Amino acid sequence: MDTAEIRRRFLDHFESNGHTVVPSASLLLDDPNLLFVNAGMVPFKPYFLGQETPPYKRATSVQKCVRTQDIEEVGKTTRHGTFFQMNGNFSFGDYFKEGAIELAWSLVTGSVEDGGLGFDPERVWVTVLPSDQEARGFWKSVAGLPDERIQDRGLEDNYWHMGVPGPGGPCSEIYIDRGAEYGPDGGPVVDEDRFLEIWNLVFMQEELSQVRSKADFDVAGPLPSKNIDTGMGLERVAYLLQGKQNMYEIDQVFPVIERASALSGKRYGAVHEDDVRFRVIADHVRSGLMLIGDGVTPGNEGRGYVLRRLLRRAVRSMRLLGYEDPALPELLPVSRDEMSRSYPEIASDFARISQVAYAEEEAFRQTLAKGTQIFDLAADSAKAQGATVLTGDKAFQLHDTYGFPIDLTLEMASEQGLAVDEPGFRALMAEQRARAKADAKSKKGRHADTRIYRDALDTFGPTEWLAYERLSTESQVRSIIQESGRTPAVGESQIAEVVLDRTPFYAESGGQNADAGVLVWDGGRAEVLDVQRPVRGLVVHQVRVLDGELTEGTALQADVDPQWRVGACQAHSGTHVVHAALREVLGPTALQSGSYNRPGYLRLDFGWSSALSPEQLREVELAANVALREDLPVSAAVMPLERAKELGALALFGETYGEDVRVVEIGGPWSRELCGGTHVSRSSQIGTVVLTSDSSVGAGNRRVEAVVGLEGFSYLARERDLVAQVSDLLKVQHDDVPGRVADLVGRLRTAEKEMEKLRGAQLLSSAGDLAAGAAEVDGVAYVGHVADGLAAKDVRTLALDVRGRLDASRPGVVAMIGTADGKAACVVAVNDAGRAAGLAAGDLIKAAMESLGGRGGGKADVAQGGGTEVTAAPQAVEAVRRAIQGAV
């Protein structure tokens, strides 16, 4: 049974039993505790935590998940993977233990002909918490399992919570006996290779007040309503039903291994080290495909860094298998063909996905070339100092700064006869991970902050939100919140959060800034600083009281600043216009991946692998302003999500959408996007669109910035004034400014070249005098000289020229120090006779650097460095003299 069919059967089973089928949420969920969605229940957390009211009593889903804590372990065993799919069914105060067990048992053991999975009931084992005799009883009465196949396990295995105060409860795990060839008998408490867990049923029934560890927590009491949360590993079930050994051999994964094998000429199953690489490739290619599909782009931090590591590890593994051509164009389409059966959007969006992935591989190929040069310098330096080990901090620098994989460093070091301080490298990596974990831990518990908002929502009901309809309304204060909690009043100059019964203020979302404005009441006034929706249905205003006192129950007038709103509408509609113009000029793969807009300004991130040419920027700007001139109608309509997809409405990656969505059109199909923002009513009201910059925000992702409306006109006016000033200075007409400036630049460059020649001649003329004045230091001809105003490039030229003029038959050393711009540049050069006498420039320059307060290095013939202690240049020259005396 293939994986897509198992997925279909799971959803059909629960849908036929009254569950609402909920599509997989994006891997990028707005959760401060998570980098990616890592479990099937994550999208339902607000319901389990009581932050939101679930729209259904029963739900089922197959959720895309990514876990990243074990990336470096992927492939070493067949248990670790990054991307996986979690089948789940959920009950919110509806059925409980008996219902969950009955539904699971009927699917697991139901016949294939009747839509079940067809597992032999005699091969099913389960575990329960020892104190949960209720669950044990249901397994016996519902499933008919004997006591010996219902095993007790402790809190570490059979109690679930989220690691923070909140819901928790016992769980019951379902295992399948794979047979005697996989290990000893005796159930999962004896061997979890033979007895493989496929499903965990969580019975949420308790409220936890303190959580210290997995098995150490305090129970505050029972939950108001009991809930069910289950998770079935789709890949695990797939390899059991497909008769495979592990998740890497199932139909959705193994074709990538087959393709990698064909490309590399290596056979999977022949050599363990190669098998590890094959598994890394298969896992990371699929994970990268799904992450890019959900809008992640490669970067140097957070989610982007995880994606970058995955793609680069896959490429590197192909290189280790002997394949050095671009690999992702060969492998990514294979994964697309398998995954698109369950996720059709992967195929329809593949042009964008592949553009991002292939750009990252090309960037990595360039990184490998650059990193190799850095490695060579580090290796040469180590060997010049007589070292046999490359330091851990150098290996870490190669990894962290240049993206150079440690396995590549190990391999190349071995080729040069060097070892690598792996313990030192691992220690630095551990420190980095510890900092990341500490940062993540510091973010935990934020869900508790929403309880006060949830209480306000439960007490007063949802805020009547009027932002689309009006800019002003009468309202009443429902609740006032400060850091210490709810308060009855706030006075002048104090800042607080205010919940109103109705509001015209737009709350920040979808990249649009919140509205500005004021709250006015009899005897007082407050400035609105920010507007947010901390829980669905509740709008919270952060205000500063300007006059009077604001108390709960106060009747007031809520007024949005009309000029602010006009500018915000212009900017948000302008964002849609720029997006449509980009797609018109560059093609449909130029899809938005993020945006931000405030009155007069917008920025838009989109998938694209190279900088836009000046011609392309002009075309995009022209297309946007043509749309403004055509005075296109702007409309918004709420419709079912499926209908919006049928119309081709574009969605922002990483956003979570409900069953009904708001579609904003500008000129009908020319621009059609899912959007909750405020907009102008006709495109001409945007005024103007002026693109101000194009920059990179990661491989395969660009950012354009623009100003609109009056800010756009002001920007053009400043440009006009600047041209006028230059025109006046040059005494030419405006149209002649570029030609005149080009002429001046050409003449300046010619003059600089002439000055460079004169400076070179001057240097050469001084070289002879410096060489002739060489001092005798223990049989070595030594030239030590400080040249004020000489830059590093010229210092090196002069030092080498002086060395060339010394008597080649006797040892000679030149130490040249140039001082310019508050810095000292030092070059030490040793001739052949000097090196034969045991002198090395790389050693001598260290003496100079101690005085100059900097670092330097190089080879035996030439070394260079720099420092900040300019006034110590004479002492540095003398330090080199003393070093010569001690070396010969």
Side-chain angles (χ1 to χ4, degrees):
M1 190 182 298
D2 63 36
T3 307
E5 175 62 15
I6 298 169
R7 179 181 186 274
R8 185 192 66 78
R9 284 173 179 255
F10 184 90
L11 294 175
D12 286 353
H13 172 73
F14 284 99
E15 185 176 28
S16 68
N17 282 281
H19 293 65
T20 298
V21 176
V22 180
S24 173
S26 167
L27 286 164
L28 320 179
L29 206 61
D30 184 17
D31 188 318
N33 300 321
L34 297 174
L35 200 60
F36 302 108
V37 170
N38 64 355
M41 62 78 63
V42 169
F44 302 98
K45 279 171 65 175
Y47 307 145
F48 290 128
L49 290 164
Q51 296 170 349
E52 297 180 17
T53 301
Y56 27 64
K57 286 290 188 180
R58 302 180 175 196
T60 185
S61 70
V62 177
Q63 175 62 45
K64 299 176 289 187
C65 301
V66 166
R67 291 182 183 170
T68 61
Q69 65 267 36
D70 294 326
I71 287 179
E72 292 185 358
E73 299 303 314
V74 169
K76 295 179 182 177
T77 72
T78 57
R79 284 181 174 268
H80 291 92
T82 48
F83 176 84
F84 61 97
Q85 299 158 90
M86 188 62 73
N87 299 358
N89 61 287
F90 310 91
S91 166
F92 307 102
D94 190 13
Y95 62 84
F96 198 47
K97 293 181 185 178
E98 183 176 16
I101 289 171
E102 184 175 1
L103 287 165
W105 180 258
S106 60
L107 176 63
V108 170
T109 63
S111 69
V112 173
E113 293 77 12
D114 293 333
L117 299 179
F119 284 104
D120 181 356
E122 298 300 316
R123 295 171 54 203
V124 178
W125 292 62
V126 300
T127 61
V128 296
L129 195 67
S131 60
D132 192 3
Q133 292 302 308
E134 187 180 26
R136 174 179 286 274
F138 287 135
W139 279 115
K140 294 168 69 174
S141 62
V142 171
L145 286 177
D147 277 320
E148 60 268 23
R149 283 198 278 133
I150 307 173
Q151 297 188 319
D152 289 339
R153 302 193 88 165
L155 293 170
E156 286 285 350
D157 295 294
N158 275 74
Y159 195 93
W160 177 92
H161 56 71
M162 290 189 291
V164 294
C171 55
S172 182
E173 297 172 327
I174 302 175
Y175 293 79
I176 301 296
D177 182 0
R178 303 172 72 190
E181 63 271 29
Y182 290 96
D185 201 355
V189 298
V190 173
D191 190 312
E192 287 197 8
D193 285 325
R194 171 173 172 173
F195 298 89
L196 187 72
E197 179 195 345
I198 63 166
W199 206 343
N200 188 17
L201 313 181
V202 176
F203 312 129
M204 289 190 201
Q205 61 189 45
E206 296 169 331
E207 178 82 14
L208 307 187
S209 57
Q210 293 291 328
V211 177
R212 290 171 291 276
S213 70
K214 184 74 170 69
D216 184 12
F217 49 83
D218 296 332
V219 177
L223 285 173
S225 63
K226 297 177 179 180
N227 306 313
I228 290 294
D229 158 31
T230 84
M232 170 193 273
L234 179 56
E235 283 78 7
R236 286 194 175 189
V237 174
Y239 73 74
L240 288 176
L241 291 181
Q242 292 172 21
K244 304 299 183 182
Q245 298 296 311
N246 55 67
M247 58 181 275
Y248 291 99
E249 297 176 9
I250 66 173
D251 58 314
Q252 284 189 346
V253 181
F254 194 67
V256 174
I257 292 179
E258 290 181 310
R259 183 59 182 154
S261 175
L263 292 170
S264 65
K266 303 289 181 67
R267 183 173 64 84
Y268 182 70
V271 178
H272 174 71
E273 288 77 10
D274 288 346
D275 288 352
V276 171
R277 291 160 186 159
F278 280 123
R279 290 193 285 264
V280 167
I281 292 162
D283 174 86
H284 289 5
V285 166
R286 184 167 78 140
S287 300
L289 173 78
M290 303 306 291
L291 286 171
I292 300 173
D294 275 0
V296 184
T297 54
N300 290 326
E301 56 185 30
R303 293 163 172 164
Y305 182 63
V306 171
L307 173 60
R308 172 160 287 168
R309 284 188 66 196
L310 292 172
L311 294 178
R312 292 187 172 194
R313 278 170 58 85
V315 171
R316 174 61 187 151
S317 295
M318 285 297 293
R319 292 173 72 92
L320 291 172
L321 288 172
Y323 186 80
E324 297 195 358
D325 290 335
L328 293 181
E330 299 287 343
L331 301 174
L332 205 65
V334 178
S335 189
R336 171 204 61 196
D337 293 344
E338 299 303 328
M339 297 306 297
S340 60
R341 293 186 57 196
S342 297
Y343 306 97
E345 64 273 14
I346 292 297
S348 60
D349 197 25
F350 190 70
R352 180 192 63 84
I353 294 170
S354 60
Q355 183 181 67
V356 172
Y358 301 165
E360 177 62 20
E361 179 171 16
E362 179 55 34
F364 184 46
R365 290 168 66 84
Q366 295 175 12
T367 292
L368 287 175
K370 184 187 299 182
T372 299
Q373 294 175 350
I374 303 297
F375 172 85
D376 287 342
L377 288 173
D380 288 345
S381 176
K383 289 191 289 187
Q385 296 172 26
T388 59
V389 178
L390 192 68
T391 61
D393 62 341
K394 180 58 68 174
F396 180 76
Q397 180 192 23
L398 283 164
H399 169 85
D400 196 53
T401 305
Y402 300 101
F404 220 53
I406 183 60
D407 54 358
L408 181 57
T409 300
L410 290 168
E411 179 182 316
M412 294 176 63
S414 176
E415 292 171 355
Q416 299 230 20
L418 293 171
V420 177
D421 176 16
E422 281 194 80
F425 170 81
R426 301 294 176 192
L428 290 169
M429 288 293 293
E431 288 177 15
Q432 186 185 64
R433 279 194 293 269
R435 287 193 297 270
K437 286 182 179 179
D439 181 60
K441 186 176 181 180
S442 71
K443 297 177 181 178
K444 287 204 172 190
R446 289 190 185 179
H447 284 292
D449 296 341
T450 66
R451 291 185 182 181
I452 194 166
Y453 305 119
R454 181 66 194 181
D455 289 343
L457 183 63
D458 291 341
T459 303
F460 304 112
T463 307
E464 185 180 356
W465 192 57
L466 306 171
Y468 296 145
E469 305 165 26
R470 60 184 68 177
L471 296 177
S472 180
T473 185
E474 295 179 353
S475 189
Q476 188 176 48
V477 177
R478 294 299 196 196
S479 181
I480 301 175
I481 300 167
Q482 290 187 304
E483 288 186 8
S484 57
R486 188 173 171 183
T487 184
V490 285
E492 189 171 321
S493 301
Q494 288 186 295
I495 294 176
E497 293 178 316
V498 176
V499 178
L500 303 176
D501 63 343
R502 60 205 316 247
T503 182
F505 282 87
Y506 181 82
E508 180 183 358
S509 65
Q512 180 177 332
N513 254 15
D515 280 332
V518 294
L519 306 181
V520 181
W521 63 95
D522 186 15
R525 189 165 61 99
E527 173 190 11
V528 176
L529 306 174
D530 191 17
V531 188
Q532 297 290 333
R533 284 194 186 94
V535 295
R536 186 177 298 174
L538 194 75
V539 178
V540 176
H541 311 71
Q542 185 188 59
V543 306
R544 178 190 290 113
V545 178
L546 302 176
D547 302 297
E549 182 181 60
L550 183 61
T551 62
E552 288 188 349
T554 297
L556 51 75
Q557 186 80 16
D559 296 327
V560 175
D561 182 336
Q563 294 305 312
W564 179 281
R565 175 64 73 82
V566 167
C569 291
Q570 290 174 322
H572 205 147
S573 296
T575 304
H576 286 224
V577 166
V578 171
H579 187 201
L582 283 165
R583 289 167 53 78
E584 180 178 308
V585 173
L586 303 178
T589 61
L591 277 171
Q592 176 181 340
S593 57
S595 69
Y596 169 76
N597 54 78
R598 64 172 188 266
Y601 167 85
L602 68 89
R603 71 168 185 247
L604 187 145
D605 298 344
F606 63 101
W608 200 250
S609 58
S610 59
L612 303 189
S613 67
E615 293 76 15
Q616 287 174 319
L617 283 170
R618 280 196 295 271
E619 287 183 46
V620 172
E621 190 175 74
L622 177 62
N625 283 289
V626 165
L628 271 55
R629 186 185 64 184
E630 292 178 350
D631 196 27
L632 301 174
V634 181
S635 63
V638 177
M639 64 184 69
L641 179 59
E642 290 304 315
R643 174 59 179 158
K645 290 180 178 178
E646 291 172 5
L647 290 174
L650 302 177
L652 181 64
F653 296 115
E655 287 289 319
T656 301
Y657 298 98
E659 294 182 7
D660 291 327
V661 294
R662 184 169 181 260
V663 177
V664 174
E665 293 184 349
I666 300 179
W670 185 73
S671 171
R672 183 178 284 150
E673 301 188 27
L674 304 188
C675 179
T678 61
H679 291 271
V680 299
S681 57
R682 313 263 328 168
S683 64
S684 62
Q685 294 170 356
I686 297 171
T688 188
V689 172
V690 182
L691 296 183
T692 58
S693 73
D694 162 50
S695 59
S696 171
V697 286
N701 216 33
R702 304 292 301 177
R703 170 175 293 173
V704 291
E705 296 178 89
V707 285
V708 299
L710 285 176
E711 284 75 5
F713 287 115
S714 297
Y715 181 91
L716 293 174
R718 289 193 298 272
E719 295 282 295
R720 178 197 60 200
D721 292 343
L722 183 62
V723 172
Q725 292 175 35
V726 175
S727 176
D728 290 343
L729 287 171
L730 299 177
K731 308 299 183 185
V732 296
Q733 296 297 315
H734 289 194
D735 290 346
D736 296 330
V737 166
R740 179 63 172 152
V741 170
D743 177 60
L744 288 174
V745 170
R747 290 163 61 183
L748 179 61
R749 287 175 177 167
T750 300
E752 287 176 342
K753 289 179 181 178
E754 291 298 322
M755 289 177 64
E756 186 72 23
K757 289 179 181 178
L758 290 173
R759 186 163 54 248
Q762 187 179 18
L763 287 173
L764 291 174
S765 66
S766 65
D769 293 339
L770 289 170
E776 184 79 17
V777 180
D778 290 352
V780 177
Y782 173 56
V783 177
H785 181 68
V786 178
D788 292 329
L790 209 61
K793 178 183 175 182
D794 293 332
V795 172
R796 184 182 179 91
T797 300
L798 181 57
L800 294 179
D801 193 14
V802 172
R803 183 185 67 177
R805 295 172 183 266
L806 295 175
D807 184 353
S809 64
R810 56 184 298 210
V813 174
V814 178
M816 193 70 58
I817 300 177
T819 59
D821 301 323
K823 296 180 181 179
C826 179
V827 174
V828 175
V830 180
N831 65 8
D832 292 342
R835 294 197 297 277
L839 296 169
D843 296 332
L844 296 174
I845 199 168
K846 293 178 181 178
M849 289 302 102
E850 289 181 6
S851 298
L852 295 175
R855 299 177 63 184
K859 298 182 179 180
D861 60 339
V862 181
Q864 62 187 55
T868 57
E869 300 295 332
V870 176
T871 57
Q875 292 93 312
V877 170
E878 182 60 28
V880 175
R881 176 194 292 270
R882 291 195 300 271
I884 294 171
Q885 290 174 328
V888 295

